[in-house]
Amino acid sequence: MIFSKTMKPYSRNIIFADTEFSSLDPYKGEILSIGLVTLGGKELYLELEYDGEVSKWVRDNITPTLTQEKVSRDTAKQKIAEFVGKDKPYLVAYVNQFDVIYLYKLFGFPENSDPFFWLPIDFASMLFAHGRDPESLVPFDKLCAELGIPYEQYHQHNALDDARVLREVYLKLTGGNDVSSIL
């Protein structure tokens, strides 16, 4: 079922994000990688230094995909802040409760330390508002195929690829492939 209506975005000041982390338990887990993609398509991907415990699922599905040079948490914060800029964009994430909590852990909780607007946008809720199962993006091959997005080029559970898919689906939901029409 193709979406019958397009969404009209409230703001164009958004960044699509995905993170991979060591555990679903936010008290134990830490961020392992982050992918950020602007509405215009600019990208940042980082893998963070971490030598602690990881869950079995992460060890089997995420750890083997982490192949880049790792950066310290301080370097990651600096690079993310530089990439995001000073305009406090809305962070759009699928299953944002995990992505956001790990970003908050990375940046700490002092007021104004997080480079994103304080209210994240949940992509699953966007799907729900379009009458779609909020889980329809996982696995993303079926929805991508339905929307004409070549899913073969993406690797699920890679933070950058997952952020790219979010952007592509968002562009379809907001009226098509021509990003200049919504910039």
Side-chain angles (χ1 to χ4, degrees), residues 67-106:
T67 59
Q68 288 193 188
E69 181 180 339
K70 309 303 183 261
V71 299
S72 70
R73 293 173 63 82
D74 286 337
T75 298
K77 289 189 318 189
Q78 176 190 359
K79 287 181 179 285
I80 293 167
E82 288 171 4
F83 180 81
V84 169
K86 303 236 184 269
D87 292 339
K88 293 273 189 183
Y90 287 92
L91 179 98
V92 177
Y94 184 63
V95 193
N96 73 342
Q97 63 271 26
F98 290 108
D99 297 312
V100 170
I101 199 69
Y102 285 104
L103 282 170
Y104 286 165
K105 283 180 73 173
L106 177 64

Side-chain angles (χ1 to χ4, degrees), residues 11-22:
S11 173
R12 294 177 186 113
N13 186 22
I14 59 176
I15 290 184
F16 302 92
D18 188 70
T19 63
E20 301 301 338
F21 33 85
S22 61

Side-chain angles (χ1 to χ4, degrees), residues 29-156:
E30 293 294 340
I31 192 170
L32 300 175
S33 64
I34 182 168
L36 300 172
V37 182
T38 67
L39 188 59
K42 195 169 108 177
E43 300 177 345
L44 176 69
Y45 176 71
L46 299 170
E47 294 180 5
L48 284 73
E49 295 172 346
Y50 179 74
D51 61 1
E53 182 181 331
V54 298
S55 73
K56 179 182 179 344
W57 188 90
V58 170
R59 188 172 38 259
D60 294 344
N61 295 282
I62 304 300
T63 306
T65 70
L66 301 175
T67 59
Q68 288 193 188
E69 181 180 339
K70 309 303 183 261
V71 299
S72 70
R73 293 173 63 82
D74 286 337
T75 298
K77 289 189 318 189
Q78 176 190 359
K79 287 181 179 285
I80 293 167
E82 288 171 4
F83 180 81
V84 169
K86 303 236 184 269
D87 292 339
K88 293 273 189 183
Y90 287 92
L91 179 98
V92 177
Y94 184 63
V95 193
N96 73 342
Q97 63 271 26
F98 290 108
D99 297 312
V100 170
I101 199 69
Y102 285 104
L103 282 170
Y104 286 165
K105 283 180 73 173
L106 177 64
F107 279 93
F109 293 101
E111 194 170 319
N112 296 321
S113 66
D114 185 357
F116 301 99
F117 186 71
W118 71 273
L119 183 63
I121 307 300
D122 176 22
F123 198 79
S125 294
M126 290 181 195
L127 293 172
F128 184 87
H130 269 278
R132 297 303 296 249
D133 178 351
E135 290 184 308
S136 67
L137 197 57
V138 178
F140 50 65
D141 58 346
K142 184 178 177 186
L143 180 58
C144 286
E146 182 179 320
L147 296 174
I149 299 168
Y151 66 89
E152 307 84 24
Q153 68 190 26
Y154 300 108
H155 298 92
Q156 193 165 8

